[in-house]
Amino acid sequence: MPPSTPHAAPTATHHLLPTPAGRTHAVQQGHQGPLVLLLHGFPESWYAWRHQLPVLAAAGYRAVAIDVRGYGRSSKPESVDAYRMLDLVADNVAVVEALGERSAVVVGHDWGASIAAVSALTRPDVFRAVGLLSVPYTPPGGPRPSEVFAAMAGEGPGKGTGDGTGDGAGEEFYVSYFQRPGRAEAEIEPDMRGWLAGFYAAVSADTMPAPDAPAPYFVSPGGTLRDRFPAGVLPSWLGERDLDVYAGEFERTGMTGALNRYRNMDRDWADLADRAGAPIAQPSLFIGGERDASLAWLAGALNAFPETLPGLVGSHILDGCGHFVQQERPDGTNRILLDWLASLPT
């Protein structure tokens, strides 16, 4: 059952909480009720949850969205390997403790979904349920990630285009492109606002390139990722003021902290080797966008949910929706989240 009768959402409050990162910036709406911890993806901030925070608070939940380590007002350690998955899990546990709680429901989008999943997998004593948006759970194990991503664009020896999304002629998948420190920063940081606008448009349903256009997830030889972004258009969910918020944060902090998450995928693979194939047993939820390329790349993960997420309560694919589900479809996402949260044991 919901924790209380819905009421007007309280004003958001900002906190800087002590965590292994140094400090974690948290934005809270609702000061009583079960804790719901919200984790954003790339390249965003706590602001990605602006439509969910007041709705969850009005329904009687203590909703808290954080800036993940490396983003916004949270600490940004210098070492690349300080952004490995287990460090981010430790930050999440410390946030729960700093808020005076013993447990939380954790919900994440994009990279936040992966962080939420590993948080639930490795600390089931703290995270009693997990919601995943856009990126389905894939258990640890399997091939080394760097080899998988190289093969997707035909970079690996003897490999073709993987799932056919790269042309195999020297194209580079964006995750591989992000690996070398400084390389992607040199593309992005001279025009942070313009780059972000193009990135958001490239993966949103109403502005993404046509199916027969070059895929915006790949870099041509000698080119940049931005070469394939739509230009001069914003998705309907992103107003100029919203873009100002995102761009303002990255103009202040730079992009390295955010990109360092991608630079730890092989370290995560080694760190979690003892959890290879492990399911998440807690109650879980998945919400994805029908037009999100992530669902095509990870179709096998969706099909494996009966084994990998035995506690799955619901899996929802939103028609005509792209990657940024909780911003593209806030009302639908909120209804699904509230129904799921109400179904959880207290």
Side-chain angles (χ1 to χ4, degrees), residues 233-326:
V233 61
L234 293 181
S236 58
W237 62 266
L238 184 73
E240 295 285 351
R241 293 182 65 183
D242 300 319
L243 181 57
D244 286 344
V245 172
Y246 286 127
E249 289 293 85
F250 286 112
E251 286 168 354
R252 181 174 57 81
T253 65
M255 191 60 74
T256 296
L259 290 166
N260 279 346
R261 173 82 291 273
Y262 290 92
R263 295 165 183 161
N264 279 277
M265 298 179 76
D266 281 355
R267 292 186 182 94
D268 299 336
W269 177 79
D271 288 344
L272 296 167
D274 63 341
R275 306 263 184 174
I280 295 174
Q282 297 98 306
S284 56
L285 170 74
F286 180 74
I287 308 173
E290 177 249 339
R291 299 193 64 193
D292 187 351
S294 298
L295 300 194
W297 300 333
L298 297 171
L302 290 170
N303 294 334
F305 275 172
E307 291 75 40
T308 61
L309 294 176
L312 186 68
V313 175
S315 180
H316 306 264
I317 307 300
L318 305 184
D319 289 343
C321 184
H323 182 67
F324 297 100
V325 290
Q326 81 270 34

Side-chain angles (χ1 to χ4, degrees), residues 22-69:
R23 69 178 183 276
T24 293
H25 175 226
V27 180
Q28 174 175 314
Q29 282 193 255
H31 298 276
Q32 297 179 348
L35 175 60
V36 181
L37 183 64
L38 303 169
L39 310 177
H40 67 81
F42 175 89
E44 301 173 273
S45 72
W46 73 268
Y47 189 73
W49 300 101
R50 63 194 177 281
H51 302 298
Q52 285 68 51
L53 285 166
V55 171
L56 294 176
Y61 296 95
R62 188 180 187 188
V64 175
I66 67 169
D67 283 334
V68 173
R69 175 187 299 219

